[in-house]
Amino acid sequence: HEAGRYRELAEAIELPPVDDDPRFRANRQALTRLREAAQARQAEAQNRLTDFEVELRDLRARHRDCDNEIGSLKKRRNNLPTTILAVREQLCEKLELAAAELPFAGELIQVRDDQRDWEGAIERLLHQFALSLLVPEAHYGAVARWVDATNLRGRLVYYRVREQVEPPHGRPDADSLVRKVLIKPDCGVYGWLEAEINRRFDYVCCAGLERFQREKYAITQPGARGARHSQRKARA
Protein backbone atom coordinates (compact mmCIF):
# COMPACT_ATOMS: atom_id res chain seq x y z
CA HIS A 1 0.00 0.00 0.00
CA GLU A 2 2.75 2.43 0.96
CA ALA A 3 4.73 1.59 -2.17
CA GLY A 4 1.68 2.27 -4.32
CA ARG A 5 1.04 5.56 -2.58
CA TYR A 6 4.68 6.54 -3.09
CA ARG A 7 4.41 5.84 -6.83
CA GLU A 8 1.30 8.01 -7.10
CA LEU A 9 2.96 10.93 -5.33
CA ALA A 10 6.18 10.54 -7.32
CA GLU A 11 4.26 10.58 -10.60
CA ALA A 12 2.36 13.68 -9.49
CA ILE A 13 5.60 15.63 -9.14
CA GLU A 14 7.22 13.95 -12.14
CA LEU A 15 9.79 11.88 -10.25
CA PRO A 16 10.89 8.56 -11.72
CA PRO A 17 9.64 5.29 -10.13
CA VAL A 18 11.83 3.72 -7.47
CA ASP A 19 13.19 0.25 -8.11
CA ASP A 20 16.38 0.31 -6.03
CA ASP A 21 18.03 2.10 -3.11
CA PRO A 22 20.17 4.55 -5.20
CA ARG A 23 17.03 5.72 -7.04
CA PHE A 24 15.26 6.22 -3.72
CA ARG A 25 18.14 8.39 -2.42
CA ALA A 26 18.18 10.33 -5.72
CA ASN A 27 14.47 11.03 -5.36
CA ARG A 28 14.98 12.24 -1.77
CA GLN A 29 17.63 14.69 -2.97
CA ALA A 30 15.33 15.82 -5.79
CA LEU A 31 12.52 16.29 -3.26
CA THR A 32 14.80 18.49 -1.15
CA ARG A 33 15.54 20.67 -4.16
CA LEU A 34 11.85 20.82 -5.13
CA ARG A 35 10.89 21.80 -1.59
CA GLU A 36 13.49 24.57 -1.48
CA ALA A 37 12.35 25.87 -4.87
CA ALA A 38 8.73 25.79 -3.72
CA GLN A 39 9.61 27.66 -0.53
CA ALA A 40 11.48 30.29 -2.58
CA ARG A 41 8.47 30.74 -4.87
CA GLN A 42 6.20 31.00 -1.84
CA ALA A 43 8.43 33.67 -0.28
CA GLU A 44 8.49 35.59 -3.56
CA ALA A 45 4.72 35.35 -3.86
CA GLN A 46 4.34 36.58 -0.28
CA ASN A 47 6.62 39.54 -1.00
CA ARG A 48 4.63 40.40 -4.10
CA LEU A 49 1.41 40.14 -2.09
CA THR A 50 2.87 42.52 0.50
CA ASP A 51 3.89 44.96 -2.25
CA PHE A 52 0.37 44.83 -3.71
CA GLU A 53 -1.16 45.42 -0.27
CA VAL A 54 1.07 48.46 0.27
CA GLU A 55 0.20 49.77 -3.20
CA LEU A 56 -3.50 49.20 -2.50
CA ARG A 57 -3.26 51.18 0.75
CA ASP A 58 -1.49 54.00 -1.08
CA LEU A 59 -4.15 54.03 -3.81
CA ARG A 60 -6.92 54.08 -1.21
CA ALA A 61 -5.22 56.97 0.58
CA ARG A 62 -4.90 58.86 -2.72
CA HIS A 63 -8.54 58.10 -3.47
CA ARG A 64 -9.55 59.55 -0.09
CA ASP A 65 -7.42 62.62 -0.72
CA CYS A 66 -9.05 63.09 -4.14
CA ASP A 67 -12.52 62.68 -2.63
CA ASN A 68 -11.69 65.22 0.06
CA GLU A 69 -10.30 67.62 -2.53
CA ILE A 70 -13.40 67.27 -4.71
CA GLY A 71 -15.63 67.81 -1.71
CA SER A 72 -13.67 70.90 -0.75
CA LEU A 73 -13.81 72.26 -4.30
CA LYS A 74 -17.58 71.91 -4.31
CA LYS A 75 -17.80 74.00 -1.17
CA ARG A 76 -15.62 76.90 -2.27
CA ARG A 77 -15.48 79.28 -5.18
CA ASN A 78 -11.80 78.84 -6.04
CA ASN A 79 -9.89 75.72 -6.99
CA LEU A 80 -6.91 76.17 -4.69
CA PRO A 81 -5.51 72.93 -3.22
CA THR A 82 -6.59 72.17 0.33
CA THR A 83 -2.94 71.73 1.34
CA ILE A 84 -2.00 75.37 0.83
CA LEU A 85 -5.30 76.55 2.28
CA ALA A 86 -4.46 74.55 5.40
CA VAL A 87 -1.04 76.23 5.58
CA ARG A 88 -2.67 79.66 5.43
CA GLU A 89 -5.14 78.62 8.11
CA GLN A 90 -2.25 77.69 10.42
CA LEU A 91 -0.46 80.94 9.60
CA CYS A 92 -3.51 83.12 10.20
CA GLU A 93 -4.29 81.32 13.45
CA LYS A 94 -0.76 81.90 14.70
CA LEU A 95 -0.69 85.57 13.70
CA GLU A 96 -4.35 86.19 14.61
CA LEU A 97 -5.19 87.40 11.11
CA ALA A 98 -8.23 86.84 8.90
CA ALA A 99 -7.71 84.83 5.72
CA ALA A 100 -8.86 87.84 3.70
CA GLU A 101 -5.81 89.76 4.95
CA LEU A 102 -3.50 87.18 3.32
CA PRO A 103 -5.19 86.29 0.03
CA PHE A 104 -3.88 83.91 -2.58
CA ALA A 105 -3.57 85.50 -6.00
CA GLY A 106 -5.99 82.95 -7.42
CA GLU A 107 -8.71 84.16 -5.06
CA LEU A 108 -8.56 87.63 -6.54
CA ILE A 109 -8.35 86.84 -10.28
CA GLN A 110 -11.00 85.48 -12.59
CA VAL A 111 -11.47 85.15 -16.33
CA ARG A 112 -14.02 87.57 -17.75
CA ASP A 113 -17.42 86.04 -18.49
CA ASP A 114 -17.14 86.95 -22.17
CA GLN A 115 -13.73 85.23 -22.43
CA ARG A 116 -14.64 81.77 -21.09
CA ASP A 117 -13.27 80.09 -24.22
CA TRP A 118 -9.83 81.09 -22.96
CA GLU A 119 -10.38 79.98 -19.38
CA GLY A 120 -8.44 76.70 -19.61
CA ALA A 121 -5.38 78.19 -21.33
CA ILE A 122 -5.29 81.18 -18.97
CA GLU A 123 -5.65 79.09 -15.84
CA ARG A 124 -2.80 76.83 -16.90
CA LEU A 125 -0.52 79.80 -17.52
CA LEU A 126 -1.42 81.54 -14.25
CA HIS A 127 -1.49 78.34 -12.19
CA GLN A 128 1.73 78.75 -10.18
CA PHE A 129 1.19 82.46 -9.66
CA ALA A 130 -2.39 81.81 -8.52
CA LEU A 131 -1.03 79.62 -5.70
CA SER A 132 1.09 82.48 -4.35
CA LEU A 133 0.20 84.15 -1.07
CA LEU A 134 0.08 87.95 -1.28
CA VAL A 135 1.41 89.48 1.93
CA PRO A 136 0.85 93.20 2.60
CA GLU A 137 3.84 95.17 3.85
CA ALA A 138 2.37 95.46 7.35
CA HIS A 139 2.32 91.68 7.86
CA TYR A 140 5.38 90.68 5.86
CA GLY A 141 7.86 90.55 8.75
CA ALA A 142 5.62 88.35 10.90
CA VAL A 143 4.80 86.06 7.99
CA ALA A 144 8.45 85.69 7.01
CA ARG A 145 9.42 84.79 10.58
CA TRP A 146 6.65 82.20 10.82
CA VAL A 147 7.62 80.62 7.50
CA ASP A 148 11.29 80.49 8.52
CA ALA A 149 10.38 78.79 11.79
CA THR A 150 7.99 76.29 10.19
CA ASN A 151 8.98 73.28 8.11
CA LEU A 152 6.66 73.79 5.14
CA ARG A 153 8.74 71.73 2.68
CA GLY A 154 8.27 74.34 -0.03
CA ARG A 155 4.48 74.24 0.15
CA LEU A 156 4.08 78.01 0.32
CA VAL A 157 5.21 80.73 -2.08
CA TYR A 158 4.54 84.28 -0.92
CA TYR A 159 5.16 87.79 -2.24
CA ARG A 160 5.77 91.01 -0.42
CA VAL A 161 3.11 93.48 -1.55
CA ARG A 162 4.41 97.02 -1.26
CA GLU A 163 2.04 99.94 -1.01
CA GLN A 164 3.86 102.04 -3.61
CA VAL A 165 3.64 100.30 -6.97
CA GLU A 166 4.93 101.48 -10.30
CA PRO A 167 1.98 101.53 -12.73
CA PRO A 168 2.10 99.33 -15.87
CA HIS A 169 3.95 100.79 -18.84
CA GLY A 170 2.17 101.05 -22.17
CA ARG A 171 -1.11 99.53 -23.23
CA PRO A 172 -1.41 95.77 -23.69
CA ASP A 173 -2.48 94.35 -27.04
CA ALA A 174 -6.23 94.12 -27.61
CA ASP A 175 -5.89 90.31 -27.49
CA SER A 176 -3.60 90.24 -24.44
CA LEU A 177 -4.35 87.90 -21.58
CA VAL A 178 -4.27 91.00 -19.38
CA ARG A 179 -7.53 92.18 -20.96
CA LYS A 180 -9.24 88.84 -20.45
CA VAL A 181 -9.03 88.70 -16.66
CA LEU A 182 -10.60 90.69 -13.86
CA ILE A 183 -9.16 91.53 -10.45
CA LYS A 184 -11.43 91.69 -7.42
CA PRO A 185 -12.01 95.46 -7.24
CA ASP A 186 -12.22 95.87 -3.45
CA CYS A 187 -9.09 93.91 -2.57
CA GLY A 188 -6.33 95.75 -0.75
CA VAL A 189 -3.63 94.56 -3.16
CA TYR A 190 -5.33 95.65 -6.38
CA GLY A 191 -2.59 97.98 -7.62
CA TRP A 192 0.24 95.54 -6.97
CA LEU A 193 -1.66 92.63 -8.50
CA GLU A 194 -2.60 94.61 -11.60
CA ALA A 195 1.03 95.63 -12.13
CA GLU A 196 2.28 92.04 -11.67
CA ILE A 197 -0.22 90.59 -14.11
CA ASN A 198 0.72 93.20 -16.68
CA ARG A 199 4.42 92.54 -16.15
CA ARG A 200 4.33 88.75 -16.00
CA PHE A 201 1.44 87.73 -18.23
CA ASP A 202 1.20 90.13 -21.14
CA TYR A 203 0.70 87.24 -23.57
CA VAL A 204 -1.19 87.63 -26.83
CA CYS A 205 -4.06 85.14 -26.97
CA CYS A 206 -3.89 83.86 -30.53
CA ALA A 207 -6.82 82.18 -32.22
CA GLY A 208 -4.58 80.87 -35.02
CA LEU A 209 -1.09 79.43 -35.26
CA GLU A 210 0.01 81.98 -37.87
CA ARG A 211 -0.12 84.86 -35.42
CA PHE A 212 1.03 82.65 -32.58
CA GLN A 213 4.28 82.02 -34.45
CA ARG A 214 4.81 85.76 -35.02
CA GLU A 215 4.36 86.92 -31.44
CA LYS A 216 7.20 86.89 -28.95
CA TYR A 217 4.94 85.93 -26.04
CA ALA A 218 1.72 84.16 -26.90
CA ILE A 219 -0.64 81.37 -25.98
CA THR A 220 -3.32 79.50 -27.87
CA GLN A 221 -6.55 77.90 -26.83
CA PRO A 222 -6.48 74.27 -25.61
CA GLY A 223 -5.50 71.83 -28.31
CA ALA A 224 -3.24 74.16 -30.28
CA ARG A 225 0.48 73.52 -30.45
CA GLY A 226 3.57 75.59 -29.79
CA ALA A 227 3.86 75.73 -26.01
CA ARG A 228 7.38 77.13 -26.25
CA HIS A 229 5.82 80.61 -26.37
CA SER A 230 4.29 80.10 -22.94
CA GLN A 231 7.63 79.98 -21.14
CA ARG A 232 8.06 83.70 -20.57
CA LYS A 233 10.41 84.41 -17.70
CA ALA A 234 9.26 86.85 -15.03
CA ARG A 235 11.44 88.92 -12.73
CA ALA A 236 11.29 87.90 -9.10
Side-chain angles (χ1 to χ4, degrees):
H1 176 73
E2 291 182 358
R5 179 61 177 161
Y6 181 91
R7 282 194 301 273
E8 291 178 3
L9 294 174
E11 290 176 0
I13 57 177
E14 299 181 350
L15 289 177
V18 173
D19 49 16
D20 55 28
D21 189 57
R23 172 55 62 189
F24 180 76
R25 288 197 297 271
N27 276 4
R28 288 191 63 179
Q29 292 175 354
L31 278 171
T32 299
R33 291 193 297 272
L34 289 171
R35 183 173 62 252
E36 291 173 350
Q39 290 172 343
R41 289 195 299 271
Q42 183 180 26
E44 182 182 356
Q46 182 60 50
N47 289 339
R48 292 180 62 192
L49 178 60
T50 300
D51 290 342
F52 287 139
E53 288 174 345
V54 171
E55 184 179 359
L56 179 60
R57 286 198 297 270
D58 290 344
L59 289 172
R60 284 175 173 167
R62 289 170 58 187
H63 183 269
R64 287 194 299 271
D65 290 343
C66 288
D67 273 350
N68 292 337
E69 187 71 25
I70 291 171
S72 178
L73 286 172
K74 290 179 178 178
K75 295 176 183 178
R76 49 193 164 91
R77 298 179 60 185
N78 60 67
N79 58 356
L80 297 174
T82 54
T83 50
I84 65 169
L85 291 173
V87 170
R88 181 178 63 181
E89 183 177 354
Q90 296 174 33
L91 171 59
C92 288
E93 182 178 354
K94 180 66 176 179
L95 302 185
E96 298 182 350
L97 296 173
E101 296 180 82
L102 297 176
F104 286 101
E107 294 176 311
L108 306 178
I109 307 169
Q110 70 177 50
V111 179
R112 298 172 60 97
D113 289 339
D114 59 351
Q115 300 295 330
R116 291 299 180 186
D117 290 347
W118 286 94
E119 189 169 25
I122 291 174
E123 286 184 350
R124 280 192 292 276
L125 184 59
L126 268 61
H127 177 71
Q128 291 302 324
F129 182 68
L131 303 182
S132 303
L133 193 70
L134 308 185
V135 183
E137 186 77 36
H139 304 311
Y140 186 81
V143 170
R145 287 191 293 273
W146 183 85
V147 172
D148 288 342
T150 308
N151 184 16
L152 297 177
R153 299 192 178 115
R155 287 182 297 166
L156 183 67
V157 174
Y158 61 101
Y159 288 101
R160 184 176 196 163
V161 179
R162 301 183 183 277
E163 294 181 3
Q164 299 298 323
V165 179
E166 185 177 348
H169 296 290
R171 293 176 59 83
D173 187 275
D175 293 319
S176 173
L177 178 153
V178 173
R179 295 181 178 271
K180 297 183 183 297
V181 297
L182 295 173
I183 301 173
K184 188 176 180 181
D186 57 346
C187 69
V189 296
Y190 186 97
W192 183 93
L193 189 53
E194 180 185 41
E196 286 298 298
I197 292 175
N198 275 267
R199 181 169 65 86
R200 293 169 179 261
F201 303 107
D202 187 11
Y203 287 77
V204 177
C205 297
C206 303
L209 288 178
E210 182 178 348
R211 186 180 183 190
F212 175 82
Q213 292 169 350
R214 291 198 314 266
E215 297 292 342
K216 184 176 181 181
Y217 301 116
I219 60 171
T220 61
Q221 287 180 320
R225 304 177 64 183
R228 65 185 178 85
H229 286 272
S230 64
Q231 300 301 317
R232 184 176 189 175
K233 294 181 179 180
R235 300 189 303 274

